[in-house]
Amino acid sequence: MIPAASQHLLPGFQNPTLDAQAVFRVLLNGMSYPGRIFRVPPVIDTPPPGLGPAAAAVCLTLLDSDTPLWTDLDNASPVRPWLRFHCGCPLAEDAGRAHFALATEAVRLPALEAFRPGTDEAPETAATLILQVEALSAGGPCRLSGPGLQDDRRLEAVGLPPGFWDQRRLLGKAFPLGLEFIFVCGARLAALPRSTRVDV
């Protein structure tokens, strides 16, 4: 039986297993082709206010009870109980302890040094940041290169904090340490693994 306190929550995936698999395939493509924009399948009818369909689908696919999440959402946001109910993820107040971060307004993102970049022994423990931006398009001032990119690719994400790309460029020098990024806007996403080089 669903607890009474959770009955008012909006639904998540219609078919949790198949929907999560479909979104995960899109995420794998995103990581394999950095900076390329992909459309997330329509697997969520009504995301909670403040969360776009791609952001909601990515959260339902990646988060679980073993993945502490930092978010910029305040305690009154309906997204917090929605995530706790559908994902079971603990919410971390300290960004450095989070496996994932969700910034629904990317411009409010803390400095990237606040998040865990992994360790020399376990670089795969780096945090993944899900950043909801105002616009996402090919082109712009950021040139991406590296694994998965036969030719340079350009990506423009509108609504990032000042100095974001400079911080990301410095992180790239510490590879294999670093952060993984998933930019989401509406029903679309683009990924930026830590192996990708960024020049502005």
Side-chain angles (χ1 to χ4, degrees), residues 128-150:
T128 297
L129 278 58
I130 305 164
L131 306 184
Q132 191 164 255
V133 296
E134 298 170 12
L136 194 61
S137 62
C142 297
R143 188 177 72 232
L144 313 181
S145 59
L149 293 164
Q150 291 185 344

Side-chain angles (χ1 to χ4, degrees), residues 109-160:
L109 186 73
L112 297 185
E113 63 184 14
F115 300 96
R116 50 191 286 175
T119 65
D120 291 332
E121 296 76 19
E124 71 278 3
T125 60
T128 297
L129 278 58
I130 305 164
L131 306 184
Q132 191 164 255
V133 296
E134 298 170 12
L136 194 61
S137 62
C142 297
R143 188 177 72 232
L144 313 181
S145 59
L149 293 164
Q150 291 185 344
D151 300 305
D152 290 348
R153 179 172 292 132
R154 292 185 179 270
L155 177 69
E156 183 170 23
V158 178
L160 294 170

Side-chain angles (χ1 to χ4, degrees), residues 77-141:
S77 169
V79 177
R80 280 178 170 254
W82 187 84
L83 289 173
R84 282 195 297 264
F85 178 72
H86 289 294
C87 305
C89 57
L91 297 178
E93 298 302 323
D94 180 2
R97 299 176 64 86
H99 294 186
F100 288 89
L102 168 65
T104 58
E105 295 183 32
V107 71
R108 299 191 298 174
L109 186 73
L112 297 185
E113 63 184 14
F115 300 96
R116 50 191 286 175
T119 65
D120 291 332
E121 296 76 19
E124 71 278 3
T125 60
T128 297
L129 278 58
I130 305 164
L131 306 184
Q132 191 164 255
V133 296
E134 298 170 12
L136 194 61
S137 62

Side-chain angles (χ1 to χ4, degrees), residues 12-191:
F13 286 147
Q14 298 176 20
N15 187 318
T17 300
L18 294 180
D19 292 347
Q21 290 174 348
V23 177
F24 192 69
R25 284 194 292 270
V26 175
L27 286 168
L28 284 180
N29 284 333
M31 287 293 180
S32 299
Y33 301 97
R36 181 181 295 182
I37 298 172
F38 293 88
R39 183 168 291 274
V40 175
V43 290
I44 298 178
D45 289 334
T46 308
L51 208 58
V58 168
C59 286
L60 291 185
T61 300
L62 296 181
L63 303 180
D64 59 31
S65 58
D66 294 325
T67 56
L69 172 74
W70 175 91
T71 179
D72 62 344
L73 295 163
D74 61 38
N75 291 330
S77 169
V79 177
R80 280 178 170 254
W82 187 84
L83 289 173
R84 282 195 297 264
F85 178 72
H86 289 294
C87 305
C89 57
L91 297 178
E93 298 302 323
D94 180 2
R97 299 176 64 86
H99 294 186
F100 288 89
L102 168 65
T104 58
E105 295 183 32
V107 71
R108 299 191 298 174
L109 186 73
L112 297 185
E113 63 184 14
F115 300 96
R116 50 191 286 175
T119 65
D120 291 332
E121 296 76 19
E124 71 278 3
T125 60
T128 297
L129 278 58
I130 305 164
L131 306 184
Q132 191 164 255
V133 296
E134 298 170 12
L136 194 61
S137 62
C142 297
R143 188 177 72 232
L144 313 181
S145 59
L149 293 164
Q150 291 185 344
D151 300 305
D152 290 348
R153 179 172 292 132
R154 292 185 179 270
L155 177 69
E156 183 170 23
V158 178
L160 294 170
F164 173 86
W165 291 113
D166 288 333
Q167 294 177 58
R168 171 56 179 78
R169 181 174 50 80
L170 292 174
L171 275 178
K173 296 180 178 180
F175 183 80
L177 305 185
L179 301 172
E180 312 280 7
F181 295 93
I182 302 170
F183 302 102
V184 290
C185 180
R188 300 177 304 145
L189 67 79

